[in-house]
Amino acid sequence: MSNIEISTNPSGRSPENKYFFGSKAHEALDLSRPKYNKIGNEMDYQVMHMRMDLMDYNHNLVFYTSGMCFRVKTNDDRHAQFVRNMFTVVDDPLNHTADWTIIHNTEMKVDEPYIYVHLDEQVMLIGGTTFLGEIKKGVFGIISFETPPKNILPMHCSAFTFDNTTNLMFGLSGTGKTTLSSDPDYQLISDDEVLWNHNGIQMVETGCYAKSEGLTPETHKTIFDAVELARSRETLVIENPGLSNARLSYPINCVENAYHEPQQFNHPDNIFFLTMDAKGVFPPSSKISGETIRRFFETGYTSQMPGTEAGSEEIKPLFSPCYGSPFMPRKISEYSDLLMQKIKENNCNVYLINTGMDMSGQRFDLDFTRKCIKSAIELDVADDSENVLKTLEDLIKG
């Protein structure tokens, strides 16, 4: 392999062009969130599937994750390397029977991107886009649909071990999830997606997909060193260099302080919900419990800063249920019920960490936030659920 640089079109995911098909879509999809969960016309899927079957595919990649076997057929060398970076691909793909097949094509002549997911046929079609994240998040979206009925919770979060504890970290883009979980003192399990099953925590991916904006050896030593090692091994994929959402893909075995092989980890001792609170209404660290946990998980609060969207000139609250609404196709309560059940069964501590502003409008220093998280892990902190929940409800009311 060799290092790859790609400028994608479009430069991000296309959730508005994602459609579900099949009887299971009508039975189990959460249609109360139509931005991400839409049911398409069956004929559109069948026609597109036939068109894609007529195309040529240079790569037939098979990998196992989350108790399922996935096959990815793609015509694009760059996307094939991305898949190899993110998952452990088997050497003999034709000798494996896939549970799910993803057909990916960057040469289809279409007016706009499309992501078609047939829940009955267990096939995903991706075309009209070269953005790498569609494959990665496509796999996780399938896992998030398939695992809850098995009493397994899919989580859009990072995970790490520290001081003989296992820890989860939830947070939307911009809250610092990847940066904070990649602390050099931690042993990284995953930077983005994990499962919570009957026995504990399990990796979903064996690769990392980190933002490159602001990457320095001083503030992001773990990620910086991993990128340089991937570059020297010629396994680095650089996506959209120069843009604010530029990302870097590399195998997790390039991260020195990480677990390099898929394995089972203990149930989490501590769970952190990150919020980049630009209004400074939350303290830097708060222990929460009971319905406050459920409310935060079901809302996934953070702040949207001015300029994030065209025409937006003021700070706005931003909510993404389960800290990953686009990838959680079932009803929100299915995920939150599982989370609350597992927290109760395993006596987990849960904390809200404000990575945003203090009351004077100054953003909390990265080192200060890291100390807050380590202190929460090491010390017994008083519960502040009542005040935290009231503050959240006031933000929701506007």
PDB file of all heavy atoms in Angstrom, residues 6 22 24 28 43 47 52 80 89 110 124 135 145 171 175-176 180 227 232 276 296 381:
ATOM      1  N   ILE A   6      -7.055  12.300  -0.566  1.00  0.00           N
ATOM      2  CA  ILE A   6      -8.288  12.373  -1.339  1.00  0.00           C
ATOM      3  C   ILE A   6      -9.088  13.613  -0.963  1.00  0.00           C
ATOM      4  O   ILE A   6      -9.262  13.917   0.225  1.00  0.00           O
ATOM      5  CB  ILE A   6      -9.155  11.099  -1.130  1.00  0.00           C
ATOM      6  CG1 ILE A   6     -10.482  11.204  -1.891  1.00  0.00           C
ATOM      7  CG2 ILE A   6      -9.374  10.803   0.336  1.00  0.00           C
ATOM      8  CD1 ILE A   6     -11.308   9.933  -1.858  1.00  0.00           C
ATOM      9  N   GLY A  22     -37.663  -2.239   2.909  1.00  0.00           N
ATOM     10  CA  GLY A  22     -38.004  -3.544   3.466  1.00  0.00           C
ATOM     11  C   GLY A  22     -39.030  -3.467   4.584  1.00  0.00           C
ATOM     12  O   GLY A  22     -39.291  -2.406   5.162  1.00  0.00           O
ATOM     13  N   LYS A  24     -38.833  -4.574   7.589  1.00  0.00           N
ATOM     14  CA  LYS A  24     -38.242  -4.211   8.876  1.00  0.00           C
ATOM     15  C   LYS A  24     -38.166  -2.698   9.048  1.00  0.00           C
ATOM     16  O   LYS A  24     -38.224  -2.193  10.177  1.00  0.00           O
ATOM     17  CB  LYS A  24     -36.845  -4.817   9.014  1.00  0.00           C
ATOM     18  CG  LYS A  24     -36.830  -6.330   9.146  1.00  0.00           C
ATOM     19  CD  LYS A  24     -35.410  -6.840   9.294  1.00  0.00           C
ATOM     20  CE  LYS A  24     -35.364  -8.358   9.406  1.00  0.00           C
ATOM     21  NZ  LYS A  24     -33.976  -8.868   9.495  1.00  0.00           N
ATOM     22  N   ALA A  28     -39.533  -1.277  12.582  1.00  0.00           N
ATOM     23  CA  ALA A  28     -38.600  -0.934  13.655  1.00  0.00           C
ATOM     24  C   ALA A  28     -37.937   0.440  13.529  1.00  0.00           C
ATOM     25  O   ALA A  28     -37.302   0.903  14.474  1.00  0.00           O
ATOM     26  CB  ALA A  28     -37.510  -2.002  13.740  1.00  0.00           C
ATOM     27  N   MET A  43     -38.988   0.170  -5.684  1.00  0.00           N
ATOM     28  CA  MET A  43     -38.554   0.106  -7.081  1.00  0.00           C
ATOM     29  C   MET A  43     -37.266   0.896  -7.295  1.00  0.00           C
ATOM     30  O   MET A  43     -36.389   0.476  -8.071  1.00  0.00           O
ATOM     31  CB  MET A  43     -39.651   0.634  -7.999  1.00  0.00           C
ATOM     32  CG  MET A  43     -39.323   0.484  -9.488  1.00  0.00           C
ATOM     33  SD  MET A  43     -38.972  -1.234  -9.971  1.00  0.00           S
ATOM     34  CE  MET A  43     -40.606  -1.970  -9.715  1.00  0.00           C
ATOM     35  N   VAL A  47     -33.953  -0.903  -8.921  1.00  0.00           N
ATOM     36  CA  VAL A  47     -33.341  -0.382 -10.144  1.00  0.00           C
ATOM     37  C   VAL A  47     -31.874  -0.028  -9.899  1.00  0.00           C
ATOM     38  O   VAL A  47     -30.982  -0.357 -10.695  1.00  0.00           O
ATOM     39  CB  VAL A  47     -34.122   0.847 -10.653  1.00  0.00           C
ATOM     40  CG1 VAL A  47     -33.340   1.560 -11.763  1.00  0.00           C
ATOM     41  CG2 VAL A  47     -35.497   0.430 -11.163  1.00  0.00           C
ATOM     42  N   MET A  52     -25.995  -1.131 -10.318  1.00  0.00           N
ATOM     43  CA  MET A  52     -24.701  -1.292  -9.670  1.00  0.00           C
ATOM     44  C   MET A  52     -24.112  -2.678  -9.920  1.00  0.00           C
ATOM     45  O   MET A  52     -22.892  -2.830 -10.016  1.00  0.00           O
ATOM     46  CB  MET A  52     -24.831  -1.023  -8.165  1.00  0.00           C
ATOM     47  CG  MET A  52     -25.206   0.408  -7.828  1.00  0.00           C
ATOM     48  SD  MET A  52     -25.108   0.779  -6.057  1.00  0.00           S
ATOM     49  CE  MET A  52     -23.341   0.990  -5.839  1.00  0.00           C
ATOM     50  N   ALA A  80     -10.869   1.290  -0.710  1.00  0.00           N
ATOM     51  CA  ALA A  80     -10.452  -0.045  -0.269  1.00  0.00           C
ATOM     52  C   ALA A  80      -9.393   0.060   0.823  1.00  0.00           C
ATOM     53  O   ALA A  80      -9.434  -0.673   1.822  1.00  0.00           O
ATOM     54  CB  ALA A  80      -9.917  -0.845  -1.454  1.00  0.00           C
ATOM     55  N   VAL A  89      -9.445  -6.947   7.746  1.00  0.00           N
ATOM     56  CA  VAL A  89      -9.929  -7.631   6.545  1.00  0.00           C
ATOM     57  C   VAL A  89      -9.302  -9.030   6.458  1.00  0.00           C
ATOM     58  O   VAL A  89      -8.097  -9.201   6.698  1.00  0.00           O
ATOM     59  CB  VAL A  89      -9.592  -6.799   5.292  1.00  0.00           C
ATOM     60  CG1 VAL A  89      -9.951  -7.550   4.016  1.00  0.00           C
ATOM     61  CG2 VAL A  89     -10.320  -5.455   5.343  1.00  0.00           C
ATOM     62  N   VAL A 110     -24.928   9.711 -11.475  1.00  0.00           N
ATOM     63  CA  VAL A 110     -26.180  10.052 -10.791  1.00  0.00           C
ATOM     64  C   VAL A 110     -26.179  11.544 -10.488  1.00  0.00           C
ATOM     65  O   VAL A 110     -25.133  12.198 -10.462  1.00  0.00           O
ATOM     66  CB  VAL A 110     -26.359   9.242  -9.491  1.00  0.00           C
ATOM     67  CG1 VAL A 110     -26.614   7.775  -9.791  1.00  0.00           C
ATOM     68  CG2 VAL A 110     -25.146   9.391  -8.584  1.00  0.00           C
ATOM     69  N   MET A 124     -26.495  -2.737   1.549  1.00  0.00           N
ATOM     70  CA  MET A 124     -26.387  -1.276   1.503  1.00  0.00           C
ATOM     71  C   MET A 124     -25.751  -0.882   0.181  1.00  0.00           C
ATOM     72  O   MET A 124     -24.743  -1.460  -0.238  1.00  0.00           O
ATOM     73  CB  MET A 124     -25.549  -0.753   2.667  1.00  0.00           C
ATOM     74  CG  MET A 124     -25.231   0.746   2.571  1.00  0.00           C
ATOM     75  SD  MET A 124     -24.279   1.373   3.986  1.00  0.00           S
ATOM     76  CE  MET A 124     -25.608   1.642   5.153  1.00  0.00           C
ATOM     77  N   ILE A 135     -18.947   4.862   4.258  1.00  0.00           N
ATOM     78  CA  ILE A 135     -18.764   3.428   4.492  1.00  0.00           C
ATOM     79  C   ILE A 135     -18.681   3.155   5.995  1.00  0.00           C
ATOM     80  O   ILE A 135     -19.365   2.279   6.527  1.00  0.00           O
ATOM     81  CB  ILE A 135     -17.505   2.903   3.786  1.00  0.00           C
ATOM     82  CG1 ILE A 135     -17.660   3.014   2.262  1.00  0.00           C
ATOM     83  CG2 ILE A 135     -17.219   1.456   4.185  1.00  0.00           C
ATOM     84  CD1 ILE A 135     -16.431   2.571   1.483  1.00  0.00           C
ATOM     85  N   PHE A 145     -28.696  -0.911  14.249  1.00  0.00           N
ATOM     86  CA  PHE A 145     -30.032  -1.473  14.020  1.00  0.00           C
ATOM     87  C   PHE A 145     -30.113  -2.916  14.490  1.00  0.00           C
ATOM     88  O   PHE A 145     -31.114  -3.336  15.094  1.00  0.00           O
ATOM     89  CB  PHE A 145     -30.387  -1.399  12.533  1.00  0.00           C
ATOM     90  CG  PHE A 145     -31.759  -1.946  12.235  1.00  0.00           C
ATOM     91  CD1 PHE A 145     -32.883  -1.164  12.410  1.00  0.00           C
ATOM     92  CD2 PHE A 145     -31.918  -3.255  11.798  1.00  0.00           C
ATOM     93  CE1 PHE A 145     -34.159  -1.673  12.163  1.00  0.00           C
ATOM     94  CE2 PHE A 145     -33.178  -3.776  11.547  1.00  0.00           C
ATOM     95  CZ  PHE A 145     -34.303  -2.982  11.722  1.00  0.00           C
ATOM     96  N   GLY A 171     -19.694  12.294  23.096  1.00  0.00           N
ATOM     97  CA  GLY A 171     -19.627  13.715  22.781  1.00  0.00           C
ATOM     98  C   GLY A 171     -19.791  13.961  21.303  1.00  0.00           C
ATOM     99  O   GLY A 171     -19.297  13.196  20.475  1.00  0.00           O
ATOM    100  N   THR A 175     -16.621  18.633  20.759  1.00  0.00           N
ATOM    101  CA  THR A 175     -16.596  18.584  22.224  1.00  0.00           C
ATOM    102  C   THR A 175     -15.262  18.077  22.767  1.00  0.00           C
ATOM    103  O   THR A 175     -15.001  18.196  23.964  1.00  0.00           O
ATOM    104  CB  THR A 175     -17.727  17.695  22.767  1.00  0.00           C
ATOM    105  OG1 THR A 175     -17.586  16.365  22.252  1.00  0.00           O
ATOM    106  CG2 THR A 175     -19.089  18.242  22.368  1.00  0.00           C
ATOM    107  N   GLY A 176     -14.428  17.478  21.921  1.00  0.00           N
ATOM    108  CA  GLY A 176     -13.119  17.020  22.360  1.00  0.00           C
ATOM    109  C   GLY A 176     -13.021  15.538  22.647  1.00  0.00           C
ATOM    110  O   GLY A 176     -12.066  15.082  23.273  1.00  0.00           O
ATOM    111  N   LEU A 180      -9.562  14.042  24.024  1.00  0.00           N
ATOM    112  CA  LEU A 180      -9.504  13.691  25.443  1.00  0.00           C
ATOM    113  C   LEU A 180      -9.286  12.195  25.664  1.00  0.00           C
ATOM    114  O   LEU A 180      -8.581  11.788  26.584  1.00  0.00           O
ATOM    115  CB  LEU A 180     -10.776  14.158  26.146  1.00  0.00           C
ATOM    116  CG  LEU A 180     -10.906  15.683  26.271  1.00  0.00           C
ATOM    117  CD1 LEU A 180     -12.316  16.068  26.687  1.00  0.00           C
ATOM    118  CD2 LEU A 180      -9.892  16.235  27.267  1.00  0.00           C
ATOM    119  N   VAL A 227      -0.150   9.241  13.491  1.00  0.00           N
ATOM    120  CA  VAL A 227      -0.197   9.676  12.091  1.00  0.00           C
ATOM    121  C   VAL A 227       1.178   9.550  11.442  1.00  0.00           C
ATOM    122  O   VAL A 227       1.312   9.068  10.305  1.00  0.00           O
ATOM    123  CB  VAL A 227      -0.721  11.126  11.995  1.00  0.00           C
ATOM    124  CG1 VAL A 227      -0.514  11.688  10.593  1.00  0.00           C
ATOM    125  CG2 VAL A 227      -2.196  11.177  12.375  1.00  0.00           C
ATOM    126  N   SER A 232       4.903   6.577   7.828  1.00  0.00           N
ATOM    127  CA  SER A 232       6.130   5.830   7.556  1.00  0.00           C
ATOM    128  C   SER A 232       5.827   4.412   7.086  1.00  0.00           C
ATOM    129  O   SER A 232       6.609   3.821   6.329  1.00  0.00           O
ATOM    130  CB  SER A 232       7.002   5.790   8.817  1.00  0.00           C
ATOM    131  OG  SER A 232       6.409   4.982   9.829  1.00  0.00           O
ATOM    132  N   MET A 276     -19.755  20.940  24.864  1.00  0.00           N
ATOM    133  CA  MET A 276     -19.024  22.186  24.640  1.00  0.00           C
ATOM    134  C   MET A 276     -20.035  23.304  24.888  1.00  0.00           C
ATOM    135  O   MET A 276     -20.684  23.810  23.977  1.00  0.00           O
ATOM    136  CB  MET A 276     -18.473  22.231  23.207  1.00  0.00           C
ATOM    137  CG  MET A 276     -17.226  23.105  23.053  1.00  0.00           C
ATOM    138  SD  MET A 276     -17.460  24.841  23.438  1.00  0.00           S
ATOM    139  CE  MET A 276     -18.405  25.378  22.031  1.00  0.00           C
ATOM    140  N   PHE A 296     -29.858  13.518  29.462  1.00  0.00           N
ATOM    141  CA  PHE A 296     -28.692  13.966  28.699  1.00  0.00           C
ATOM    142  C   PHE A 296     -28.423  13.044  27.523  1.00  0.00           C
ATOM    143  O   PHE A 296     -28.096  13.500  26.424  1.00  0.00           O
ATOM    144  CB  PHE A 296     -27.459  14.063  29.599  1.00  0.00           C
ATOM    145  CG  PHE A 296     -27.201  15.455  30.078  1.00  0.00           C
ATOM    146  CD1 PHE A 296     -27.696  15.880  31.288  1.00  0.00           C
ATOM    147  CD2 PHE A 296     -26.487  16.361  29.307  1.00  0.00           C
ATOM    148  CE1 PHE A 296     -27.481  17.176  31.737  1.00  0.00           C
ATOM    149  CE2 PHE A 296     -26.272  17.657  29.734  1.00  0.00           C
ATOM    150  CZ  PHE A 296     -26.771  18.069  30.966  1.00  0.00           C
ATOM    151  N   VAL A 381     -16.912  11.887  43.939  1.00  0.00           N
ATOM    152  CA  VAL A 381     -17.442  13.234  43.688  1.00  0.00           C
ATOM    153  C   VAL A 381     -18.909  13.294  44.077  1.00  0.00           C
ATOM    154  O   VAL A 381     -19.665  12.352  43.843  1.00  0.00           O
ATOM    155  CB  VAL A 381     -17.277  13.602  42.189  1.00  0.00           C
ATOM    156  CG1 VAL A 381     -17.805  14.996  41.915  1.00  0.00           C
ATOM    157  CG2 VAL A 381     -15.812  13.488  41.777  1.00  0.00           C
TER     158      VAL A 381
END
